[in-house]
Amino acid sequence: MDIKELKIKKTEDGSATLFVPELNEHYHSYKGAVRESLHVFIQAGLEELSRARKNIRILEIGFGTGLNALLTLDYTYSDPELKVHYTTLEKYPLDLNLIIQLNYTVHSNNTIRELFSDIHQAPWNLVSEITDRFSILKLEADLTQEIDLENCDLVYFDAFAPEKQPEMWDEAIFETIYGAMNKGGILVTYCAKGEVRRRMQRAGFNVERLPGPPGKREMLRARK
């Protein structure tokens, strides 16, 4: 997959996403980019796991615009005991000039706006301490390659949809993730397709359906 042309689109909650014409695919739900990310990854994932763990290693499949990373960092301010080590994979990094045009921090304070810039300007393939409780490692890769992953507690599975990027939803991918996760770890994804759920189950996960964000009836949460 070669992403050549991207268009900024406003979603229904006022936040922006990117549209890939050659895939006919959005980076986020057109029903609300921020709303979807909060619902799927923060509320069903980070908020759920942080009730039991305060030092959390997150693995994100699909860094994209950096929205999930930003919302995760922002969430650490609501829990002073929480510390996050964030590893994110992205085979097709976006141009910083394009990221600047997105409006994720328009209603945020100056600190959050600066931290979003820090996340994107952090070097690839090196760990960067963004705050004293949030570090990030951005890897220019995907799980179709061999990657030495540290044990993770929480996985944000945010690849393009299975029909657009089928190689990222292969059963072997979920087996790799399962092997890299700590016991009791959680994987969350916006996708609720039956075959995806069955592949997760065959990889060893216990999978539950949850109510999805606006525009989607269901999402999936899997536990090791």
Side-chain angles (χ1 to χ4, degrees), residues 27-79:
Y27 271 67
H28 309 93
S29 170
Y30 66 90
K31 292 287 186 179
V34 169
R35 187 160 52 194
E36 178 191 41
S37 291
L38 282 172
H39 181 100
V40 175
F41 302 109
I42 305 304
Q43 294 167 6
L46 183 57
E47 186 175 325
E48 172 75 10
L49 192 61
S50 65
R51 295 189 180 102
R53 304 183 188 187
K54 296 302 180 183
N55 195 326
I56 297 178
R57 290 190 172 276
I58 296 177
L59 171 63
E60 178 184 39
I61 312 302
F63 178 62
T65 64
L67 176 57
N68 295 334
L70 174 67
L71 294 176
T72 299
L73 189 158
D74 191 38
Y75 185 81
T76 64
Y77 285 94
S78 69
D79 185 343

Side-chain angles (χ1 to χ4, degrees), residues 179-191:
M181 288 180 72
N182 293 319
K183 187 175 180 180
I186 290 175
L187 179 154
V188 283
T189 182
Y190 64 87
C191 182

Side-chain angles (χ1 to χ4, degrees), residues 38-203:
L38 282 172
H39 181 100
V40 175
F41 302 109
I42 305 304
Q43 294 167 6
L46 183 57
E47 186 175 325
E48 172 75 10
L49 192 61
S50 65
R51 295 189 180 102
R53 304 183 188 187
K54 296 302 180 183
N55 195 326
I56 297 178
R57 290 190 172 276
I58 296 177
L59 171 63
E60 178 184 39
I61 312 302
F63 178 62
T65 64
L67 176 57
N68 295 334
L70 174 67
L71 294 176
T72 299
L73 189 158
D74 191 38
Y75 185 81
T76 64
Y77 285 94
S78 69
D79 185 343
E81 297 180 14
L82 183 62
K83 186 170 185 179
V84 171
H85 309 270
Y86 199 100
T87 297
T88 182
L89 310 182
E90 178 57 66
K91 195 170 183 179
Y92 306 97
L94 298 172
D95 187 277
L96 183 58
N97 291 325
L98 183 63
I99 296 297
I100 291 171
Q101 298 177 57
L102 301 175
N103 63 342
Y104 299 142
T105 62
V106 67
H107 299 300
S108 302
N109 58 44
N110 289 335
T111 298
I112 294 299
R113 286 194 287 271
E114 290 173 4
L115 292 175
F116 187 53
S117 177
D118 290 345
I119 287 172
H120 279 284
Q121 295 189 59
W124 288 84
N125 306 310
L126 292 173
V127 175
S128 295
E129 299 287 338
I130 304 300
T131 72
D132 60 351
R133 292 189 293 111
F134 182 93
S135 65
I136 190 167
L137 171 61
K138 300 187 299 185
L139 298 176
E140 197 168 343
D142 65 27
L143 284 183
T144 63
Q145 305 165 241
E146 287 191 17
I147 302 171
D148 185 18
L149 296 174
E150 294 186 20
N151 289 345
C152 52
D153 303 294
L154 175 60
V155 176
Y156 294 166
F157 201 94
D158 201 17
F160 285 121
E163 62 270 23
K164 307 295 183 178
Q165 202 175 18
E167 70 278 8
M168 291 305 303
W169 300 83
D170 190 84
E171 191 171 325
I173 295 290
F174 294 116
E175 290 173 351
T176 296
I177 293 172
Y178 186 86
M181 288 180 72
N182 293 319
K183 187 175 180 180
I186 290 175
L187 179 154
V188 283
T189 182
Y190 64 87
C191 182
K193 291 183 178 296
E195 181 53 35
V196 169
R197 176 175 52 83
R198 290 186 287 273
R199 289 173 186 174
M200 289 180 181
Q201 290 172 328
R202 290 195 293 267

